């Protein structure tokens, strides 16, 4: 509905004097639907779980048997190998920066190195308050681009996305049926108890019980 379009943003790589843009049509994408209630289930007992994969980020080099450090363009920015480092104190650092007018950051994936269906996934994450960055911890199936079967054949599961420091919330979502015209999603936002700050430079633990 064009009447409900509040803002259209166009990102230009070159100087404005050299760039011309003509918008011939607009398509509005509806917001993700709120996820419905789950069937009653006992709370996950981590003491009974068997650890099958982990990385404590020890040492000063990323373990390439567990991770691939991505390089290349992604959406409006770039994935840079130098944007993902270990600090030698058990922490992975993903840095955002600007080089030659281009935004970049670190990006790690375990694709092709670790595959698991169902289980408990957890990470301890510290986020900054800076506007514009989009830290995320997510799972993705190889068949996520396959259309049909309502995502049972493959989905993207966003355990946590943190692009909202000004709202003090994180996003939890599921995406399926590709990222084109058939794309579908459901999600919600999460807050800490008593509205405690999330983007406070402290460690918080995010987990998914995928059953």
């Amino acid at each position: 509905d064009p009447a409900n379009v509040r803002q259209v943003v166009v990102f230009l790589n070159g100087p404005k004097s050299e760039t011309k843009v003509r918008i011939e049509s607009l398509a509005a994408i509806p917001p993700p639907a709120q996820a419905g209630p789950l069937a009653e289930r006992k709370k996950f007992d981590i003491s009974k779980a068997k650890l099958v994969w982990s990385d404590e980020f020890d040492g000063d080099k990323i373990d390439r048997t567990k991770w691939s450090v991505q390089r290349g363009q992604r959406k409006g920015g770039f994935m840079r190998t130098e944007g993902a480092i270990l600090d030698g104190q058990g922490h992975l650092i993903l840095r955002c920066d600007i080089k030659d007018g281009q935004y970049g950051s670190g990006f790690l994936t375990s694709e092709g190195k670790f595959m698991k269906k169902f289980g408990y996934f957890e990470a301890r994450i510290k986020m900054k308050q800076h506007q514009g960055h989009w830290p995320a911890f997510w799972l993705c199936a190889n068949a996520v681009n396959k259309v049909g079967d309502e995502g049972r054949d493959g989905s993207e599961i966003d355990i946590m996305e943190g692009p909202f420091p000004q709202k003090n919330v994180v996003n939890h979502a599921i995406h399926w049926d590709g990222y084109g015209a058939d794309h579908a999603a459901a999600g919600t936002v999460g807050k800490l108890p008593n509205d405690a700050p999330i983007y406070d430079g402290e460690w918080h633990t995010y987990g998914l019980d995928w059953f």
Side-chain angles (χ1 to χ4, degrees):
D1 181 1
N4 289 328
V5 174
R6 292 176 297 175
Q7 185 181 36
V8 176
V9 180
V10 179
F11 292 95
L12 306 176
N13 289 328
K16 292 183 179 179
S17 61
E18 298 178 2
T19 306
K20 295 181 180 180
V21 177
R22 181 175 67 187
I23 299 176
E24 297 182 343
S25 63
L26 291 175
I29 300 175
Q34 292 295 311
L38 295 173
E40 211 174 294
R41 182 175 181 268
K42 289 184 178 179
K43 186 177 179 180
F44 175 74
D45 186 354
I46 197 169
S47 67
K48 298 179 180 179
K50 178 183 178 182
L51 183 65
V52 296
W53 190 92
S54 69
D55 194 347
E56 302 301 326
F57 298 111
D58 296 326
D60 57 4
K61 292 184 179 180
I62 294 173
D63 188 343
R64 297 304 182 100
T65 67
K66 296 179 178 180
W67 302 103
S68 295
V69 183
Q70 298 295 285
R71 185 177 185 85
Q73 189 169 5
R74 177 175 168 79
K75 296 187 176 180
F78 287 84
M79 302 176 289
R80 297 191 176 121
T81 54
E82 62 270 26
I85 62 172
L86 302 187
D87 66 357
Q89 301 177 19
H91 304 132
L92 166 69
I93 308 296
L94 298 177
R95 299 184 298 189
C96 299
D97 59 15
I98 304 176
K99 290 184 178 180
D100 301 323
Q102 300 286 354
Y103 290 87
S105 69
F107 188 112
L108 264 63
T109 175
S110 65
E111 183 179 6
K113 301 177 183 293
F114 174 77
M115 302 289 289
K116 178 67 177 175
K117 184 176 182 179
F118 305 129
Y120 181 72
F121 301 80
E122 181 180 275
R124 199 167 62 108
I125 301 170
K126 179 190 291 188
M127 296 188 294
K128 300 293 186 180
Q129 292 181 334
H130 302 301
Q131 298 288 337
H133 70 315
W134 196 311
F137 168 38
W138 48 297
L139 311 178
C140 195
N142 290 333
V144 66
N145 288 304
K146 185 178 180 181
V147 176
D149 205 20
E150 297 183 342
R152 293 177 181 84
D153 47 9
S155 299
E156 172 191 322
I157 304 176
D158 299 323
I159 300 174
M160 182 282 297
E161 294 181 287
F164 306 120
Q166 73 279 13
K167 296 181 180 179
N168 193 38
V169 297
V170 291
N171 188 60
H172 316 288
I174 302 177
H175 300 264
W176 65 94
D177 284 351
Y179 301 99
D182 296 297
H183 170 260
T188 187
V189 295
K191 306 183 75 171
L192 290 178
N194 301 318
D195 290 334
I198 298 175
Y199 302 82
D200 54 0
E202 299 297 330
W203 295 101
H204 299 294
T205 301
Y206 301 89
L208 168 73
D209 178 12
W210 181 21
F211 60 91

